[in-house]
Amino acid sequence: MPELPEVETIRRGVEPYVVDRRISRVLVREARMRWPVPPDFAEQLRGRLIVGTSRRGKYLLLHLDNGDRVLIHLGMSGRLLVLDQGHPLIKHDHVDIELGDGKMLRFHDPRRFGAVLLWRHADASHPLLAGMGPEPFSDEFDGDYLHRMSRGRSAAIKSFVMDGRIVVGAGNIYAAESLFRAGIRPTRAAGDVSLPRYRVLASMIRDVLNEAIMQGGTTLRDFAGADGAAGYFQQDLYVYGRDTQPCRSCATPIRRLVIGQRSSFFCPRCQR
DNA sequence: AGATTCGCCTGAGAGC
DNA sequence: TGCTCTCAGGCGAATC
């Protein structure tokens, strides 16, 4: 499932193929996703030059020469591949953005939790991006910030850290891994965690995300980079998906429980 | 306001 | 082999 490192991996993979390329044609085979692809999407994109890419949280943005931006969210089963035009279609290939040089971006998403949207005149803030918390690599994000935001909150720290209004990009896998590294039990009430521990946590969140980006993301089921290659961070997971297996640090069996409707993994000995 | 639950989807895997 | 059932989950919307 694409979280921040996976989206960043895809962005880096896609960027060299799309920047300074002109969109020659867009094909929308399936518009029904998290939100429908706008009816005039293809028409609006045709002839536009892509001038850059960026990422906000788990949204991938293509910057167009007229100030519009394409918003792409991969949901949990989405892929964005760079292919040659005419590449054989498979089930769930929903959108193609063809470029002038014979390449194309192909959006594929079996579960259709993803989205492909057009953000017209991107000078004003987009409703889906407004209200998002800071990027984990920004100056604004640190232990003091987390500590300040968490005061008076009774929710589990794992839910708190996964809340995109607090900080973006810490999805289920990376929240679990960050909390393990910080030695914090995921069920602990966010408001009860001390400043020093939040400082460790903030730095672990950044470390985990950074390492995952360097490994090309985590491939558990669906994820692939823009070239179709798998990521490798799953080899470095300490707790996620390791229910009943021995903790890599102390050999105590890893435990699984459900927090906020999501499966959560932790070491009962290393995390307090 | 904060916390919790719901709903959107399909594929993989388990069980029969 | 093939069916049915359960689970996975990002995240906005609805509800408590």
Side-chain angles (χ1 to χ4, degrees), chain A residues 24-25 83-87 97-104:
Chain A
S24 49
R25 189 167 70 137
L83 298 169
D84 291 323
Q85 284 166 32
H87 192 94
I97 298 176
E98 297 181 348
L99 306 172
D101 64 354
K103 297 276 186 192
M104 67 174 165

Side-chain angles (χ1 to χ4, degrees), chain A residues 3 13-14 18 20 39 118 158 168 171 215 218 220 246 251 259 262:
Chain A
E3 299 187 23
V14 156
V18 302
D20 293 331
L118 181 61
K158 178 162 178 276
V168 298
Q215 301 275 356
T218 300
L220 294 175
I259 301 170
R262 286 167 182 88

Side-chain angles (χ1 to χ4, degrees), chain A residues 39 66 135 190 203:
Chain A
N66 62 351
E135 289 286 325
S203 121

Side-chain angles (χ1 to χ4, degrees), chain A residues 151-190:
Chain A
R151 291 310 87 185
R153 298 226 188 191
S154 60
I157 188 164
K158 178 162 178 276
S159 304
F160 174 72
V161 157
M162 288 181 65
D163 186 339
R165 293 164 299 184
I166 302 300
V167 60
V168 298
N172 205 28
I173 298 173
Y174 300 109
E177 295 299 310
S178 307
L179 286 165
F180 172 81
R181 292 193 188 194
I184 301 169
R185 201 170 282 227
T187 47
R188 189 170 282 282

Side-chain angles (χ1 to χ4, degrees), chain A residues 2 10 37 39 44 50 77 84 89 93 151 158 166 173 196 212 251 253:
Chain A
I10 288 169
V37 179
Q44 292 293 334
I50 300 174
S77 60
D84 291 323
L89 277 175
D93 283 342
R151 291 310 87 185
K158 178 162 178 276
I166 302 300
I173 298 173

Side-chain angles (χ1 to χ4, degrees), chain A residues 7 9 27 51 69 74 88 127 146 151 154 189 197 209 243 255:
Chain A
V7 177
T9 295
L27 295 170
V51 297
R69 288 179 193 174
L74 300 172
L146 284 179
R151 291 310 87 185
S154 60
R197 302 190 86 196
L209 293 175
D243 187 23
R255 279 171 51 187

Side-chain angles (χ1 to χ4, degrees), chain A residues 44 62-70 118-122:
Chain A
Q44 292 293 334
L62 304 178
H63 300 225
L64 307 181
D65 58 349
N66 62 351
D68 291 358
R69 288 179 193 174
V70 177
L118 181 61
W119 180 12
R120 303 293 304 277
H121 36 79

